């Protein structure tokens, strides 16, 4: 096992990685921006290195500063968390070329899955179901229309290099497609450096379901169960649960098998996630993308399987035995993302935290990046904490989630706790029969 680990991230995920690493006896090195100097992820690490000003380009995206910090502190490995540099193949290459262990898949796997068109074609070639659509990227409305006419409207227009729910739009007809293709092409060029577009069939009623995979050095890829991620705003997740209420045992088995094939197709090593659209009307699932990193919602998989995915990442990277081979799920788990945002319109609401009281009780876990007195800055994602609950079944998990929301007090910045309370009382959510449009119907 490594004796030292630099955590190239901030907030709750940096704290979460630090916790497991310290339990394994690893010296941890935090990095931070000037805006984050007093956050727990900085003070709880064995040592910490200032990267630069608050602007991400000057701090958490500053590869030269991060590599210098690793070199100066003698870090044997780097864990990127999620977001920031976690899915940048160039950074992964820089890390390994510097003689430092990269806690993640190979740069080649990251690169292969970073382009939606390439990923789609590779999955199709390995018998992973994909939605009807174009096998080649398009860059203008004329080419997009040709694909749309071959598969039928409505269609989804996606930035081929996009991710995280960004760079996506629905087109119901040719006129809308022309407008959206131009809009997404310009957006993607500015944000991702590539204006390539992917055109796929749009399914009106879908659920968003993903599978946790863990690739082993011997080439095997374990599929560690699914997570339901259909409670979203602007294509970005707010609530996740496992197991999914939508899946039959037969569909779940096919989904897990497809996910193992997906990982094997890119020689995946370490923790990752294969995401799918599940068509409510047909009961079929279609590959969406592969996230070549640890997901925000990984704790609910840990809760039902009784494993530590960060420990698994570290052991795989170090060439050690996992300590488990085929863990079986028990009970039901739900994760609520607590964001500094308006609970109605979901607009960011950063500020200084006056009161911070976390919920406690059986089956409740809180992964938080902040405490009272800290400031949630405007420079980064609005996530403040995650509430994870585990119960014997879905009904108990929902009841524990309700009590946890009631017991979580935050004053100062805005928070979406009121939204979570509303959702947990929503008949559609409670029935388990919902789709990605549930938040829109609540608003």
């Amino acid at each position: 096992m490594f004796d030292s680990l630099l955590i190239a991230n901030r907030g709750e995920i940096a704290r979460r990685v630090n916790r497991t690493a310290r339990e394994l006896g690893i010296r941890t090195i935090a990095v931070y921006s000037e805006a984050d100097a007093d956050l727990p992820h900085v003070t709880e690490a064995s040592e910490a290195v200032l990267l630069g000003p608050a602007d991400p380009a000057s701090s958490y995206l500053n590869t030269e500063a991060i590599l210098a910090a690793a070199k100066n502190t003698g870090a044997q490995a780097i864990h990127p968390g999620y977001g920031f540099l976690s899915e940048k193949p160039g950074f992964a290459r820089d890390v390994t070329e510097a003689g430092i262990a990269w806690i993640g898949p190979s740069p080649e796997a990251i690169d292969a899955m970073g382009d939606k068109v390439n990923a789609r074609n590779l999955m199709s070639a390995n018998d992973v179901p994909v939605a009807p659509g174009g096998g080649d990227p398009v860059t203008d409305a004329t080419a997009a229309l040709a694909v749309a006419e071959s598969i039928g409207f409505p269609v989804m227009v996606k930035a081929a290099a996009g991710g995280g729910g960004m760079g996506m739009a629905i087109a119901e007809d040719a006129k809308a497609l022309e407008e959206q293709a131009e809009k997404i092409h310009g957006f993607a060029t500015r944000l991702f450096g590539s204006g390539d577009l992917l055109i796929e069939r749009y399914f009106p009623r879908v659920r968003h379901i993903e599978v946790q995979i863990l690739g082993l050095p011997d080439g095997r890829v374990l599929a560690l169960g699914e997570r339901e991620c259909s409670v979203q705003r602007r294509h970005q997740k707010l609530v996740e649960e496992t197991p999914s209420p939508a899946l039959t045992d037969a569909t779940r088995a096919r989904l897990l098998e497809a996910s193992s094939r997906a990982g094997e197709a890119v020689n995946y090593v370490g923790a990752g996630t294969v995401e799918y659209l599940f068509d409510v009307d047909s009961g079929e699932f279609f590959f969406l993308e592969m996230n070549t990193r640890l997901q925000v919602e990984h704790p609910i998989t840990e809760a039902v399987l009784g494993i530590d995915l960060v420990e698994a990442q570290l052991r795989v990277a170090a060439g050690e035995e996992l300590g488990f081979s085929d863990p079986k799920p028990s009970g039901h788990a739900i994760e609520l993302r607590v964001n500094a945002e308006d609970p109605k319109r979901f607009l960011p609401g950063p500020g200084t935290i006056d009161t911070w009281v976390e919920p406690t009780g059986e089956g409740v876990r809180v992964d938080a990046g902040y405490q009272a007195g800290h400031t949630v800055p405007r420079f980064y994602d609005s996530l403040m904490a995650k509430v994870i609950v585990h119960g014997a079944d879905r009904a108990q998990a929902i009841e524990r989630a309700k009590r946890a929301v009631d017991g979580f007090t935050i004053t100062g910045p805005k928070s979406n706790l009121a939204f979570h309370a509303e959702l947990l009382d929503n008949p559609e959510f409670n029935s388990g029969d919902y789709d990605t449009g549930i938040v829109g119907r609540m608003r």
Side-chain angles (χ1 to χ4, degrees):
M1 180 52 67
F2 313 107
D3 64 26
S4 53
L5 174 72
L6 185 142
I7 306 166
N9 217 295
R10 66 181 297 278
E12 67 85 16
I13 187 58
R15 289 186 81 189
R16 191 264 169 278
V17 173
N18 178 76
R19 182 174 67 247
T20 290
R22 295 293 293 271
E23 288 174 354
L24 292 173
I26 300 171
R27 177 172 61 91
T28 56
I29 300 105
V31 292
Y32 63 98
S33 72
E34 291 174 352
D36 288 344
D38 64 342
L39 289 192
H41 84 267
V42 178
T43 59
E44 291 172 356
S46 306
E47 56 188 296
V49 178
L50 173 65
L51 294 175
D55 171 41
S58 303
S59 53
Y60 299 106
L61 294 176
N62 187 338
T63 59
E64 291 184 1
I66 291 172
L67 288 171
K71 180 180 178 180
N72 293 336
T73 58
Q76 289 188 338
I78 290 180
H79 193 303
Y82 54 74
F84 291 129
L85 296 168
S86 62
E87 293 182 281
K88 302 294 185 184
F91 180 62
R93 288 190 184 95
D94 290 343
V95 170
T96 56
E97 288 173 2
I100 301 169
W102 169 252
I103 310 301
S106 68
E108 291 75 21
I110 299 173
D111 199 35
M113 292 294 98
D115 183 291
K116 283 184 167 58
V117 177
N118 291 339
R120 169 195 164 86
N121 292 340
L122 183 59
M123 293 301 104
S124 180
N126 285 273
D127 297 323
V128 178
V130 299
D136 297 311
V138 300
T139 57
D140 57 58
T142 300
L145 181 60
V147 177
E149 289 178 339
S150 71
I151 62 175
F153 285 97
V155 298
M156 178 70 81
V157 183
K158 300 179 182 178
M166 296 185 290
M168 300 168 58
I170 301 164
E172 299 281 353
D173 52 35
K175 181 180 179 182
L177 178 59
E178 181 177 2
E179 294 173 353
Q180 295 297 353
E182 181 179 349
K183 177 182 176 182
I184 299 299
H185 172 73
F187 173 84
T189 301
R190 292 190 303 273
L191 191 63
F192 306 123
S194 170
D196 286 353
L197 305 176
L198 171 63
I199 309 299
E200 286 185 335
R201 171 79 55 79
Y202 171 70
F203 298 96
R205 296 182 65 231
V206 295
R207 298 176 78 127
H208 187 158
I209 298 175
E210 64 187 24
V211 173
Q212 176 70 56
I213 61 171
L214 184 66
L216 306 182
D218 62 11
R220 289 180 297 141
V221 177
L222 306 179
L224 299 175
E226 87 281 359
R227 296 186 288 254
E228 172 78 55
C229 308
S230 297
V231 180
Q232 305 177 359
R233 49 97 167 99
R234 296 188 293 276
H235 303 295
Q236 296 182 326
K237 304 163 189 172
L238 289 171
V239 175
E240 300 90 5
E241 61 177 310
T242 186
S244 168
L247 300 185
T248 64
D249 289 342
T251 301
R252 177 174 291 108
R254 289 194 298 117
L255 189 72
L256 299 185
E257 290 169 2
S259 301
S260 291
R261 290 197 300 274
E264 290 166 357
V266 291
N267 300 312
Y268 201 92
V269 177
T273 305
V274 189
E275 305 207 10
Y276 300 90
L277 291 180
F278 178 82
D279 181 28
V280 174
D281 296 324
S282 69
E284 295 299 319
F285 58 86
F286 305 98
F287 174 80
L288 181 61
E289 64 182 353
M290 183 186 291
N291 289 298
T292 51
R293 53 171 169 80
L294 197 65
Q295 287 280 76
V296 178
E297 56 272 22
H298 75 273
I300 56 173
T301 295
E302 295 180 323
V304 297
L305 294 182
I307 63 175
D308 184 325
L309 283 169
V310 172
E311 179 179 345
Q313 285 185 294
L314 293 169
R315 292 197 182 282
V316 166
E320 294 191 353
E321 294 295 324
L322 285 178
F324 63 83
S325 58
D326 187 23
K328 302 299 183 184
S330 175
H332 198 97
I334 298 173
E335 176 179 291
L336 311 173
R337 301 191 188 194
V338 180
N339 299 327
E341 63 183 19
D342 181 279
K344 292 291 185 182
R345 297 179 297 164
F346 305 116
L347 298 177
T352 299
I353 299 170
D354 298 319
T355 307
W356 181 277
V357 179
E358 296 179 6
T360 58
E362 186 175 359
V364 176
R365 163 181 165 183
V366 178
D367 285 7
Y370 300 90
Q371 296 171 346
H374 296 137
T375 297
V376 182
R378 60 181 176 83
F379 306 99
Y380 317 117
D381 185 88
S382 64
L383 182 67
M384 294 187 288
K386 303 180 308 197
V387 175
I388 304 101
V389 297
H390 182 218
D393 53 28
R394 189 170 188 265
Q396 186 179 62
I398 289 175
E399 286 305 312
R400 288 180 172 177
K402 289 180 180 180
R403 289 198 296 271
V405 169
D406 288 343
F408 206 151
T409 302
I410 303 172
T411 63
K414 297 177 181 178
S415 87
N416 62 346
L417 285 170
F419 164 78
H420 289 306
E422 181 184 355
L423 176 81
L424 293 167
D425 278 331
N426 180 275
E428 185 180 352
F429 178 79
N430 276 270
S431 73
D433 184 16
Y434 62 95
D435 56 49
T436 55
I438 184 172
V439 174
R441 290 187 290 273
M442 290 171 61
R443 292 292 175 264

